[in-house]
Amino acid sequence: MFKLYINPNIKKGHINKEIYGHFSEHLGRCIYEGIYVGEDSTIPHINGMRKDVVEALKKMGIPVLRWPGGCFADEYHWKDGIGPKENRKKMINTHWGGVVEDNSFGTHEFMELCEQLGCEAYISGNLGSGTVQEMSEWIEYLTFDGVSPMANLRAENGHSKPWRVKYFGVGNENWGCGGNMTPEGYANMYRCYQTYIRDYNNEQKINKICCGPNSDDYAWTKTVLKTCFENTPEHLNGHMNGLSLHYYTVPGSWEHKGSATKFDEEEWYKTLNKTLYMEELVRRHSTIMDEYDPQKKIGLIVDEWGIWFDVEPGTNPGFLYQQNTMRDALVAGINLNIFNKHCDRIKMANIAQIVNVLQSVILTEGEKMLLTPTYYVFYLYKNHQEATLVDSYIETTMIGKEDHQVPNLHESVSVDKNGVVNITINNLSVNESYEVESYFTDWNIQQVKATVLTARMDDYNSFDQPEKVQPTEFKDFSVVDQKLKFTIPACSVLHFEIK
Ligand code: AHR
């Protein structure tokens, strides 16, 4: 019997809804086909946006969407993507398959998508190959309400009202595809570019995101923060609202990442062990951030995370299309629990990527669409959005093979604004179920509802069997003397809602 202790009276932080964020890049079939099919498509759409995909994402509770990249962002020139579609410039998508990008999905389309989804916009600007003027004009075009060259141009293109852009990234992976810069070099450019990201509307300030480290590059974090904050004048306070972190779970090596669907138990534990490394990364980067920002005003923004496999056999290697099994579900559940537990520092996270690329929540094939196990994890976790993280601790035992052991159980707990306790708990074991007894401090359990996602480790939803992996009502629990007892099935993600 494993004991879970929950004290809803010890409040540990606010879980920003943006921790449950997503990422969409001009890459493979993510934007084109996955989301946007154009106004002439026979696939049901509203202004070119697939109805089925938009509806599913709304149901899942999408709070924020990042766009247009990724690596694509530092080659994207936003003016090529506005105005009449027939006049839009075509370009080569050099990073992703060398295909022709016709720019038919641009600023207006993205902002319309966010409106249809009812989510916040997170735009990544081009620092690698774009100018300060270009970035500053994009902000003016998006957000200025008045008479100005860019606001006038926006009105000519059919949108007189400005939009709200809550987050703006000043470059992407500038240590790599975004310009191969040194931390000092990038940090100086960040200081300059961010100067011209004006807040035209004081009520709707733009959160500026600085390019942070790749995985465990602690030197990048340290040097960027030092260059941005040491010996800087007072007026630069607040010039950075977030620092990004990218970390992908790669089961094998970058050369041979492994198959999404064909793996054994050893690879299962190895993958989950690699995912759990996120905890150390967050802790160590946060410790460096504490030196420069002890009040935690700057968010750690994990704006690319998820599992990265070899592409599905027979698909374009530049399109990063992969299937999604229960292993992906566990990877999602573990990461989201980690982000919840670090919500004092993590203010946003964006899984890569939303549709048809890497660890997607949705896959499409022509007019068909399916929801992946990862989708259902976001669905089960959605009550954590805007809730309060509370103190919890679960007893565990280590399982798996020697070099890559993992704890058998992994949880996080929050209380929402109506006083409902939400527990999300993962069973990392491939074949063992566990009995758990939960102890609540000063809490009266009146009503318990639970939902579980469980299947065999390599089960997935395909276009032949789109509903193979689905959440179901979970009934294997009892409440005795204010203790919640349950048996968590092997290989599962479980959600309790307790009033
Ligand atoms: O998500 C795919 C790519 O991974 C992104 O374009 C890039 O930022 C990262 O290397």
Side-chain angles (χ1 to χ4, degrees), residues 23 25 27 70-71 96 172-173 246 248 304 308 352-353 358:
F23 168 35
E25 180 164 10
L27 195 178
C71 295
W96 307 119
N172 168 75
E173 296 197 349
H246 288 184
Y248 285 97
E304 285 187 33
W308 194 324
Q353 296 191 7
L358 301 177

Side-chain angles (χ1 to χ4, degrees), residues 59 135 141 150 174 178 185 188 207 251 264 300 310 314 333 381 395 416 424 469 485 490 498:
K59 196 163 168 210
M135 193 180 280
Y141 188 90
M150 291 303 116
N174 303 93
N188 280 316
N207 291 285
D264 56 16
L300 185 60
D310 294 329
Y381 275 60
E395 289 176 353
D416 73 12
T424 46
V469 183
K485 289 189 181 174
I498 300 169

Side-chain angles (χ1 to χ4, degrees), residues 17 20-22 55-64 117 119 375 378-379 382 385:
K17 63 178 189 213
Y20 290 84
H22 293 262
E55 277 315 308
L57 293 174
K58 277 164 74 172
K59 196 163 168 210
M60 182 192 70
I62 178 172
V64 63
L117 292 170
C119 76
Y375 174 95
F378 276 83
Y379 181 75
K382 73 175 172 184
Q385 294 187 27

Side-chain angles (χ1 to χ4, degrees), residues 35-39 44-59 62 65 105 108-121 159 163:
I35 296 174
Y36 182 73
V37 286
E39 281 85 354
H45 64 89
I46 298 177
N47 297 332
M49 316 294 163
R50 285 182 80 123
K51 272 187 177 178
D52 53 355
V53 169
V54 168
E55 277 315 308
L57 293 174
K58 277 164 74 172
K59 196 163 168 210
I62 178 172
L65 185 59
F105 188 94
H108 290 249
E109 289 75 20
F110 175 66
M111 297 311 293
E112 151 120 32
L113 173 64
C114 292
E115 270 165 24
Q116 287 192 23
L117 292 170
C119 76
E120 305 289 354
H159 208 276
W163 291 285

